[in-house]
Amino acid sequence: MAAERWDRDGIPQHPVAWLVATGRNRAIDGLRRRRTLEHKATLLQGYDQAVTVDDIDLDENSVSDERLKLLFTCCHPALAADGQVALTLRALGGLSTEQIARAFLVSHETMKRRLSRAKAKVKAAGIPFAVPPDRLLAERLPAVLAVIYLVFNQGYPDGDDLAQEAIRLGRLLSELMTDEPEVYGLLALMLIQDSRRAARVVRGELVLLGEQDRSRHDRAEVEAGRLAIDRALSLRPTVGPYVIQAAIASLQAEERIDWGEVAALYERLELLTGSPVVALNRAVAIAEAGAPEEALALVDSLDLGDYRYLHSTRAELLRRLGRDAEAREAFELALRMATTEPERRFLARRLSGL
Amino acid sequence: MKYAMLIFPKPGSHESLPPEQYAPVNADYLALRDDPRCVGGAHLQPAETATTVRHNRGEVLITDGPFADTKEVLGGYYVLDAADLDDALEFAQRIPAIRLGGAVEIRPLVEIPAEAAF
């Protein structure tokens, strides 16, 4: 029903993962028990390491190092957020200005200006070409992760492929920063979400997680994602927002989903991020766990303005509660706010089924 | 690279401090002045002392008060010779105005090529 993928609003703005000591969670402990470090380390390394060199022509050893520096430069907080994303795709993704412009639905000229503004700022303001020192890492890494995840989500809805690019960047980062749990958390999250790609849109129609043909899920990708989660958990006992989101995605990849556990993880994520979008997802999990009234009460308490998934979620909850007239009204509202064709058709189908 | 650190204190934040709290703040400003990267700077008198000059229909117009009609006024500045923006940011974060609710704007200076300087 609601967003199984995170919308832009759901990205934690300042994940303070490693600063927040939280209690452990059964799901995470379970995942931890299930695997051994050696096993996963080998598999993780075996999972496609292709690193392509676009602009930088250096020897094998320095390439990775240079690319990591470039990534931190492109994601420097002194650059505007849209500039960070564009610059990262241009410099590290090897995408053309035209391709980036298309992905972000702006004109070629606008994207060209955005890129040259960002590049000029890097030069004029003396933004360093360096991996930040340890004291700055906790402050700088979240921006890099957020940019990569934004790239991932940009690629998801229309199938126009930035997702693979984001996964490639995430994997590169995980190879270069081998001791940051959130780096693995992000990689895991992207891999597991991406594993549903073939099942999520069938013949142009959006299929909800619960109704997806699980045989079309890419098991190898789920497994690679779980190994990355294990790696993250082995590094530090406290978990950050990306690791939690990855753990949720991992639970949802099970044949029988433990929705109570999913709701508990969302609650932890809510504590870390304070995001109402997270609360909306928790409501979905609560409903799936068998308590739609409780879920609806939570949804109605949220301050989400006109967030489009708010209405589709309310509509679905009302439908399940048999409050058809109210459901119809909410579906109609959601339909007016939908931004992609598959979403529109999905909502229209629900509406006609009332 | 040279940077100007333009300090915009929260209005009243420094003046309202009792002497025993102002002393360490002032000491911090002076210590920053002694940082080897600091190559200049000044603490400006309050905006009420400002005089603004401009042209109005060909006439020189002199008015009382600061140019920008905003609550936030430039309170002072440092000029820094820093390695890069991160180096400058590190310095900027130690400027007391920030912890007192104000802000610091970092502006790179235009580098004058050696031949053009006279």
Side-chain angles (χ1 to χ4, degrees), chain A residues 61-259:
Chain A
N61 287 329
S62 53
V63 167
S64 300
D65 194 39
E66 295 301 297
R67 289 171 71 79
L68 187 61
K69 286 180 190 169
L70 196 54
L71 189 52
F72 274 98
T73 304
C74 294
C75 301
H76 197 282
L79 295 171
D82 57 6
Q84 291 177 20
V85 177
L87 210 53
T88 301
L89 285 171
R90 187 78 188 83
L92 284 130
L95 269 67
S96 69
T97 304
E98 185 61 48
Q99 285 173 304
I100 304 170
R102 215 155 22 85
F104 288 90
L105 308 171
V106 298
S107 71
H108 181 85
E109 274 311 304
T110 302
M111 187 49 74
K112 207 168 132 190
R113 272 199 306 277
R114 191 179 292 176
L115 278 164
S116 42
R117 201 185 310 125
K119 273 191 266 188
K121 169 104 192 241
V122 169
K123 192 155 180 280
I127 291 177
F129 180 64
V131 175
D134 285 353
R135 66 181 168 79
L136 284 181
L137 210 52
E139 184 187 316
R140 295 286 165 82
L141 186 58
V144 173
L145 299 176
V147 164
I148 294 176
Y149 195 42
L150 201 57
V151 170
F152 178 79
N153 280 333
Q154 198 68 39
Y156 212 43
D158 310 326
D160 205 19
D161 239 21
L162 291 189
Q164 294 312 310
E165 197 47 54
I167 290 175
R168 199 176 64 79
L169 287 171
R171 192 170 288 127
L172 172 71
L173 193 60
S174 75
E175 285 160 10
L176 303 175
M177 301 189 80
T178 53
D179 54 1
E180 290 297 333
E182 283 287 87
V183 169
Y184 291 102
L186 172 63
L187 178 61
L189 176 62
M190 294 192 297
L191 287 170
I192 298 173
Q193 285 186 345
D194 193 63
S195 72
R196 299 172 198 153
R197 169 190 299 271
R200 192 171 188 268
V201 179
V202 176
R203 287 186 293 278
E205 301 301 317
L206 192 65
V207 185
L208 295 184
L209 181 61
E211 292 156 14
Q212 286 173 11
D213 173 3
R214 283 172 182 271
S215 69
R216 299 188 68 160
H217 286 183
D218 184 337
R219 298 310 301 175
E221 217 174 9
V222 172
E223 210 44 38
R226 285 179 173 164
L227 293 176
I229 295 177
D230 292 344
R231 180 66 179 266
L233 296 175
S234 73
L235 288 168
R236 224 167 289 168
T238 58
V239 293
Y242 288 107
V243 176
I244 297 178
Q245 290 174 72
I248 291 169
S250 171
L251 282 172
Q252 290 176 339
E254 299 285 345
E255 196 67 47
R256 282 179 50 84
I257 301 170
D258 183 344
W259 285 106

Side-chain angles (χ1 to χ4, degrees), chain B residues 8-21:
Chain B
F8 295 87
K10 182 181 172 193
S13 62
H14 289 57
E15 298 82 344
S16 62
L17 289 176
E20 70 275 12
Q21 281 176 43

